[in-house]
Amino acid sequence: MKARHLSAIIAFLIIIFVSLVYLYNNRLTQSTKFDAFPVTSEFIKTNEGLKDKETINILIVDGGGIRGLIPLYVIQYIERQTGKPIEELFDVFSGVSTGAIIATGVNAPYLPADLHGPKVQNVHSKSDRIIQIYKNESGYIFSTPWYHKLLTANGLFSPRFIGERLSNTMEKHYTDEMKFTDLNNYVIIPSLNIHTGQVKLFKNRGQEVTELPTNTLINL
């Protein structure tokens, strides 16, 4: 009888744990929700000027979390060697994950805000400021609570890191008024629908901007 009761308790605990894992990964770790407003035609900026260029320079930044510091240092080196901001050296920018943050950040119309206010000191370029943010915020963004590791099997069932922390960091350093269509160059952000396997390209130039779910940079 005792063995039977023990088996029943273990089975009950397993059911509870599996249910908790399912609930956590399919309900509580979903993407940050935001109010989606269609982007109207007034925000459309043409990219027709690219057709007149003999050569189109494209910068693509890979993903990789905190390893985004590597391409940032490369960008910083290129800027210092040429004496020009990276946004003046390339025509089209693209990136995934942390690469998307970099691709949009270096094209922002102004520097991200400082932790204690909008005035940024001892920073000479947007890449300098983004490097500063990565260093200051990496411990918060890329640290994971024990329960998240347990319930996601260390990222097997859901993203390894908590997306809300990245969202909070973006809100801290960028304003709600900064628009995706305000970026200084043509930026293309690939996104994968994990449910359908389809790739969606978010673009800030041309007629495609009317298909954006939002124009607020921090929520895209």
Side-chain angles (χ1 to χ4, degrees):
M1 290 293 293
K2 290 183 178 180
R4 185 176 298 175
H5 288 163
L6 180 60
S7 297
I9 292 173
I10 292 174
F12 175 75
L13 292 176
I14 290 174
I15 293 173
I16 293 296
F17 179 73
V18 170
S19 300
L20 185 60
V21 168
Y22 176 83
L23 177 65
Y24 186 80
N25 288 282
N26 290 276
R27 294 291 184 270
L28 302 181
T29 61
Q30 296 299 307
S31 301
T32 303
K33 292 180 172 57
F34 56 89
D35 294 329
F37 296 102
V39 181
T40 57
S41 58
E42 65 182 292
F43 291 100
I44 296 178
K45 295 181 180 179
T46 181
N47 54 15
E48 292 296 316
L50 294 177
K51 295 181 180 180
D52 299 327
K53 284 182 169 284
E54 184 175 336
T55 301
I56 297 176
N57 297 317
I58 302 173
L59 179 64
I60 300 176
V61 187
D62 199 359
I66 190 59
R67 289 190 293 274
L69 277 169
I70 298 173
L72 275 169
Y73 281 125
V74 173
I75 290 172
Q76 187 184 64
Y77 177 80
I78 293 173
E79 290 180 331
R80 290 177 178 177
Q81 290 298 307
T82 61
K84 295 182 178 180
I86 202 71
E87 62 189 294
E88 293 183 8
L89 299 172
F90 290 86
D91 306 298
V92 181
F93 292 75
S94 184
V96 294
S97 187
T98 196
I101 295 174
I102 296 169
T104 55
V106 296
N107 282 287
Y110 50 85
L111 282 171
D114 185 68
L115 288 172
H116 305 292
K119 188 175 181 180
V120 180
Q121 298 179 347
N122 300 321
V123 173
H124 304 290
S125 71
K126 293 166 192 171
S127 61
D128 291 344
R129 179 64 182 130
I130 299 171
I131 288 173
Q132 189 181 84
I133 293 174
Y134 268 65
K135 288 182 175 180
N136 292 342
E137 302 287 358
S138 60
Y140 171 67
I141 296 174
F142 299 112
S143 62
T144 308
W146 66 267
Y147 62 84
H148 184 80
K149 293 180 179 179
L150 176 65
L151 295 175
T152 65
N154 200 29
L156 180 62
F157 303 128
S158 284
R160 185 178 177 184
F161 302 108
I162 299 176
E164 185 179 2
R165 295 189 175 191
L166 174 59
S167 178
N168 292 340
T169 301
M170 293 291 288
E171 289 180 9
K172 184 191 298 185
H173 296 285
Y174 291 85
T175 68
D176 292 337
E177 288 75 27
M178 190 179 292
K179 308 298 184 185
F180 185 46
T181 52
D182 287 340
L183 299 180
N184 294 328
N185 281 293
Y186 187 20
V187 179
I188 304 172
I189 304 301
S191 178
L192 176 68
N193 187 320
I194 61 174
H195 301 292
T196 65
Q198 293 182 326
V199 175
K200 172 68 176 178
L201 299 179
F202 296 116
K203 304 178 182 181
N204 71 334
R205 295 289 186 271
Q207 189 64 36
E208 288 89 348
V209 302
T210 58
E211 301 174 8
L212 293 171
T214 178
N215 198 15
T216 305
L217 184 60
I218 62 175
N219 287 328
L220 188 62

